[in-house]
């Protein structure tokens, strides 16, 4: 398992260095037929607790698939899917989802909560890794416009240690001191960006 992970990471290091070469978006789109039932048309999820994938950074998608395949990130629904993916599929899927436009922002039904979330994001320096637009970069997730209940779930899981963040432990340290109130405000704010 460890060798498979290292192999995939090395392959990504080589191909990841030259983003114009290697990945095949059309092949990624074809493979994504396996994903559309859960992650939605155009990578925009309509289902509770299933994240949208549209406009996620290429490397974030690739890493998460590698983590699921290696078992360092666990999810019953993703497990049987990643067993069917080879390294080329993972590269192509990363390029495909990164090429899709993000979900259009929806109207904010609780601007006061968003203000609290924005303040927490500044205080906790979330943008230092997720970028000012919260669109993410490299292995750092896009969180702007992500489903609110999924953001809450992800932050709770980092805080509790249920999700480790694979090779990148950054989020465990970030989420540990967050209160439940902050988590809910942050999720609301980010989901409406
Ligand atoms: C049966 C439903 C299902 C199918 C089919 C499925 N997924 Fe998922 N996927 C999930 C769920 C549920 C999660 C959230 C896991 C969690 O909560 O940790 C997830 C999470 C992910 C993540 C992590 C995203 C993030 O923001 O953390 C990626 C990447 C991903 N899936 C890619 C894919 C790809 C690519 C396919 C098709 C090859 C696919 N999934 C097919 C249910 C599914
Ligand atoms: C030191 C860099 C860093 C900081 C600071 C940071 N993040 Fe992250 N964040 C990451 C990385 C890297 C990932 C992907 C981790 C993984 O592989 O699970 C991530 C993932 C996430 C995810 C999961 C997204 C998904 O789709 O699964 C959420 C939610 C999140 N961050 C929210 C936040 C919030 C809110 C803050 C501020 C309180 C924050 N992050 C601060 C680096 C950071």
């Amino acid at each position: 398992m460890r060798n498979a992970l290292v192999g995939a990471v090395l392959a990504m290091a080589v191909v990841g260095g030259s983003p114009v070469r290697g990945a095949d978006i059309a092949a990624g789109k074809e493979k994504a037929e396996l994903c559309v039932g859960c992650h939605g048309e155009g990578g925009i999820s309509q289902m509770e607790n299933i994240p949208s994938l549209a406009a996620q950074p290429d490397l974030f998608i690739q890493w998460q698939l590698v983590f699921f395949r290696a078992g360092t990130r666990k999810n019953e629904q993703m497990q049987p899917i990643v067993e069917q993916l080879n390294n080329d599929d993972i590269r192509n899927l990363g390029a495909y989802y990164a090429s899709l436009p993000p979900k259009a922002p929806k109207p904010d039904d609780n601007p006061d909560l968003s203000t609290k979330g924005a303040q927490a994001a500044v205080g906790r320096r979330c943008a230092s890794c997720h970028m000012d637009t919260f669109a993410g970069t490299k292995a750092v997730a896009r969180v702007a416009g992500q489903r609110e209940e999924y953001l809450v779930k992800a932050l709770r899981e980092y805080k509790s240690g249920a999700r480790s963040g694979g090779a990148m432990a950054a989020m465990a340290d970030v989420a540990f001191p967050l209160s439940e109130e902050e988590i809910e405000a942050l999720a609301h704010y980010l989901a409406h960006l």
Side-chain angles (χ1 to χ4, degrees):
M1 220 158 70
R2 191 147 217 128
N3 283 341
L5 178 60
V6 170
V9 169
L10 286 177
M12 285 190 324
V14 173
V15 176
S18 52
V20 280
R21 263 195 48 231
D24 179 341
I25 292 182
K29 182 173 185 185
E30 209 166 292
K31 203 75 200 178
E33 302 275 307
L34 280 174
C35 327
V36 67
C38 291
H39 290 282
E41 290 293 338
I44 298 188
S45 165
Q46 310 291 342
M47 286 166 82
E48 203 164 313
N49 288 328
I50 300 190
S52 291
L53 301 178
Q56 278 292 0
D58 185 348
L59 281 179
F60 173 75
I61 296 276
Q62 292 194 50
W63 273 109
Q64 300 308 311
L65 292 171
V66 168
F67 294 157
F68 283 123
R69 200 173 60 178
T72 52
R73 184 173 174 186
K74 294 187 194 333
N75 180 267
E76 276 173 17
Q77 288 176 285
M78 281 300 295
Q79 199 54 47
I81 300 290
V82 288
E83 281 165 9
Q84 304 171 52
L85 304 179
N86 62 32
N87 291 349
D88 281 339
D89 296 331
I90 288 178
R91 270 195 295 276
N92 297 339
L93 285 162
Y96 168 63
Y97 281 112
S99 77
L100 296 174
K103 188 168 72 181
K106 53 177 186 201
D108 192 343
D109 54 352
N110 190 346
D112 289 347
L113 191 54
S114 287
T115 304
K116 278 190 199 141
Q119 282 162 353
V122 171
R124 301 291 183 179
R125 305 189 65 244
C126 307
S128 66
C129 294
H130 287 274
M131 314 300 283
D132 286 339
T133 57
F134 290 99
T137 177
K138 300 199 173 80
V140 182
R142 158 183 284 274
V143 283
Q146 184 55 274
R147 295 181 62 86
E148 185 170 344
E149 87 289 338
Y150 176 77
L151 292 171
V152 169
K153 176 179 187 281
L155 289 171
R156 284 183 187 150
E157 287 181 351
Y158 286 124
K159 183 179 160 85
S160 74
R163 179 171 166 191
S164 68
M168 290 151 290
M171 280 308 297
D173 290 342
V174 170
F176 187 70
L178 297 179
S179 66
E180 182 60 25
E181 235 187 347
E182 278 179 296
I183 287 178
E184 282 166 19
L186 282 162
H188 187 81
Y189 164 65
L190 295 169
H192 290 86
L193 287 178

